[in-house]
Structure formats: C-alpha cells, structure tokens
Amino acid sequence: MRLLFDSFLLFEGTRSTGAGARRMLYRADTYQIDLQVELSSDQSTLVITGQVLDSKQSGFSGRDVLVVISNLRGQVVLTMADQFGEFHKEIPDSDNLELFFLGLTDHPFTIAVGDPLRRQPEKKRARDVRDSGTRGKGGKKTQ
C-alpha cells in the first residue's frame, strides 16, 4: 500500500490543530483507496468516509469490498462498500487507526494510519514542556 496524497503533508512544518478533516489517497496494485477522516461534532468519534476504485477497470468500483476498521483499543467496526465502492462508518476516537480491505485480491490490504488527526505529537510536546523544569536533582519536584 503506497500513500499518494495526504492533506496533512501539504502544511508540513506547521502545527496541526486537529480540527480539520484529513484526506488521504492510497494505491495498491490497480486499486485506489480515497479516505477522509474527521472528528465528529461530539469530539468522541472518528468519522471515516472512503471509496475503493479499480483504476484498471472502468466499471469496477470496489463494490462488496469488506472494510474492517479498528482503533486498536478493542473497538472494531465492519462495513461493506456500496455499489459505487463507497463506505462510511464511525468508530470511537483513539490515537490509532487501521483499516483492512478484504475481497479485492487474494490477500487483504491494510492501511495503518496511526494517529489519524495527528494530535498525539502536540499532546506529548505539551506534556514534555509541562514536565521540564518541575523536577530537580534525583527526580524530586522543585515547586
């Protein structure tokens, strides 16, 4: 699976707020998988929208492809691509996301997105900044 486009890479070097949708385009063999990941209005679930296309066959759109979505925290949701190869599903938010596509070929395709809205590095940076300067020698708090 090869990443062809990632909307978050357009603004590399700038800080991501995590508020916008992330668009990604992948290619595996003759298949293209177009993904959009965004946070729901209640800020607790990820909304995954996608489309599976076969660039080699004009009439095949990825119909009846089983899509398994996991947040790697024990939640797994299944969905089937419709007649246009499109799918739409929500899953509880976590800092990890993986999608498995079954039924395209003899072997499943996997997309490991990681933190889909790239919020984790900023959380870690903020924690590291908060923790620095608060401990003296021997790891004891100084203030």
Side-chain angles (χ1 to χ4, degrees), residues 135-142:
R135 301 201 182 268
K137 289 184 179 179
K140 294 181 181 177
K141 278 197 161 190
T142 58

Side-chain angles (χ1 to χ4, degrees), residues 46-89:
L46 294 174
V47 180
I48 316 295
T49 306
Q51 185 175 26
V52 180
L53 296 168
D54 186 347
S55 61
K56 194 173 183 180
Q57 300 178 24
S58 62
F60 179 76
S61 60
R63 173 193 299 193
D64 298 331
V65 171
L66 178 63
V67 183
V68 180
I69 304 169
S70 171
N71 69 2
L72 301 177
R73 297 276 189 247
Q75 288 89 13
V76 175
V77 294
L78 305 174
T79 188
M80 190 73 79
D82 67 13
Q83 65 187 11
F84 305 108
E86 298 173 343
F87 59 93
H88 179 89
K89 207 68 174 171

Side-chain angles (χ1 to χ4, degrees), residues 68-141:
V68 180
I69 304 169
S70 171
N71 69 2
L72 301 177
R73 297 276 189 247
Q75 288 89 13
V76 175
V77 294
L78 305 174
T79 188
M80 190 73 79
D82 67 13
Q83 65 187 11
F84 305 108
E86 298 173 343
F87 59 93
H88 179 89
K89 207 68 174 171
E90 293 184 10
I91 191 165
D93 189 15
S94 79
D95 59 354
N96 274 305
L97 183 67
E98 279 192 358
L99 295 95
F100 303 91
F101 297 85
L102 307 168
L104 290 173
T105 62
D106 293 338
H107 62 280
F109 291 129
T110 303
I111 295 175
V113 178
D115 184 6
L117 298 177
R118 292 215 177 144
R119 295 156 298 168
Q120 197 61 29
E122 277 128 28
K123 286 180 189 175
K124 185 175 189 279
R125 256 196 311 272
R127 187 182 69 235
D128 291 345
V129 168
R130 219 178 25 250
D131 287 346
S132 67
T134 60
R135 301 201 182 268
K137 289 184 179 179
K140 294 181 181 177
K141 278 197 161 190

Side-chain angles (χ1 to χ4, degrees), residues 4-20:
L4 300 177
F5 174 81
D6 185 341
S7 63
F8 277 22
L9 295 178
L10 292 176
F11 306 105
E12 193 169 327
T14 62
R15 226 171 214 205
S16 169
T17 63

